[in-house]
Amino acid sequence: MIDELIKLFEIYGSEKYDENISQTEHALQCALLAQRENASDALVAAALLHDVGHLLQLRGNNGNADFSQDDLHENSGANFLSSTFGPNVTQPIAFHVQAKRYLCSVIPSYEAELSEGSRRSLELQGGPMGAIEIAEFSQSEYFEDAINIRTWDDLAKVENIVSGQFADFIPLLERVATQ
């Protein structure tokens, strides 16, 4: 799996996904933000890999992104990773889009502060949550981790900074991998 992740990032990581930085740079910035907050290795791995579903979409579409529909990248990414990583990695990934929808519902200014790409994808992802969804999501086991990933996701869109390389995180991924 780790070799496959390396290959995905080598082939598709330089692609932009509706932001001004590459997929790889966004992933690295997220992981570094998680590390700076002393997140567990599993949560750092989740931050690094939270958008791997976008890379899977690019692979499936011969490098072309389709912005006209929700690609459900959170689900495809979590499912893809589940053969190697446990729920402490995959569930925050699976819930990070719900976290965006939740935050848009409970923080009045949050949606206006999203990047243009995140606002556009919010529409496709169902928009802000309703009251029942809020209640259910806020009780989920990985709620806090998903909120953290979403927060780092929002901050990890800084242009023209060097955040290292994907290979820097391979030892961490190997430690977290369940087989």
Side-chain angles (χ1 to χ4, degrees), residues 134-152:
I134 290 169
E136 290 174 355
F137 179 63
S138 65
Q139 296 302 309
S140 63
E141 180 178 357
Y142 294 97
F143 169 77
E144 290 294 330
D145 289 345
I147 295 295
N148 283 329
I149 288 179
R150 184 62 225 179
T151 302
W152 300 323

Side-chain angles (χ1 to χ4, degrees), residues 19 100 114-122 150 157:
E19 300 296 344
K100 175 173 67 172
L114 291 172
S115 68
E116 182 179 328
S118 289
R119 280 195 305 275
R120 194 171 29 256
S121 65
L122 174 67
R150 184 62 225 179
K157 298 174 182 179

Side-chain angles (χ1 to χ4, degrees), residues 108-176:
S109 62
Y110 182 80
E111 186 173 348
E113 295 171 8
L114 291 172
S115 68
E116 182 179 328
S118 289
R119 280 195 305 275
R120 194 171 29 256
S121 65
L122 174 67
E123 296 269 333
L124 297 172
Q125 294 160 338
M129 286 183 167
I132 293 172
E133 287 178 297
I134 290 169
E136 290 174 355
F137 179 63
S138 65
Q139 296 302 309
S140 63
E141 180 178 357
Y142 294 97
F143 169 77
E144 290 294 330
D145 289 345
I147 295 295
N148 283 329
I149 288 179
R150 184 62 225 179
T151 302
W152 300 323
D153 184 324
D154 291 330
L155 297 171
K157 298 174 182 179
V158 180
E159 296 179 57
N160 302 317
I161 66 169
V162 177
S163 300
Q165 299 176 30
F166 185 81
D168 298 338
F169 287 93
I170 292 171
L172 180 139
L173 294 175
E174 289 171 342
R175 283 193 307 272
V176 174

Side-chain angles (χ1 to χ4, degrees), residues 1-140:
M1 169 61 74
I2 293 173
D3 289 341
E4 194 165 351
L5 288 168
I6 292 167
K7 190 173 185 180
L8 273 172
F9 276 91
E10 283 176 353
I11 296 171
Y12 302 107
S14 62
E15 298 294 323
K16 291 182 174 44
Y17 188 81
D18 222 14
E19 300 296 344
N20 295 320
I21 64 171
S22 71
Q23 290 281 354
T24 299
E25 187 57 35
H26 176 62
L28 293 171
Q29 287 182 28
C30 281
L32 289 171
L33 288 165
Q35 283 184 325
R36 286 186 189 134
E37 291 195 24
N38 296 314
S40 68
D41 281 354
L43 193 53
V44 173
L48 178 71
L49 302 174
H50 78 280
D51 278 343
V52 75
H54 289 316
L55 302 180
L56 295 170
Q57 180 202 36
L58 288 166
R59 181 176 72 183
N61 291 338
N62 297 317
N64 298 310
D66 180 1
F67 299 114
S68 67
Q69 59 184 341
D70 183 8
D71 65 0
L72 302 173
H73 75 284
E74 68 279 17
N75 297 328
S76 62
N79 290 336
F80 173 75
L81 296 166
S82 67
S83 67
T84 303
F85 299 98
N88 55 348
V89 174
T90 61
Q91 288 305 295
I93 291 170
F95 291 157
H96 82 277
V97 168
Q98 289 181 37
K100 175 173 67 172
R101 296 181 60 228
Y102 170 87
L103 291 168
C104 286
S105 298
V106 300
I107 301 173
S109 62
Y110 182 80
E111 186 173 348
E113 295 171 8
L114 291 172
S115 68
E116 182 179 328
S118 289
R119 280 195 305 275
R120 194 171 29 256
S121 65
L122 174 67
E123 296 269 333
L124 297 172
Q125 294 160 338
M129 286 183 167
I132 293 172
E133 287 178 297
I134 290 169
E136 290 174 355
F137 179 63
S138 65
Q139 296 302 309
S140 63

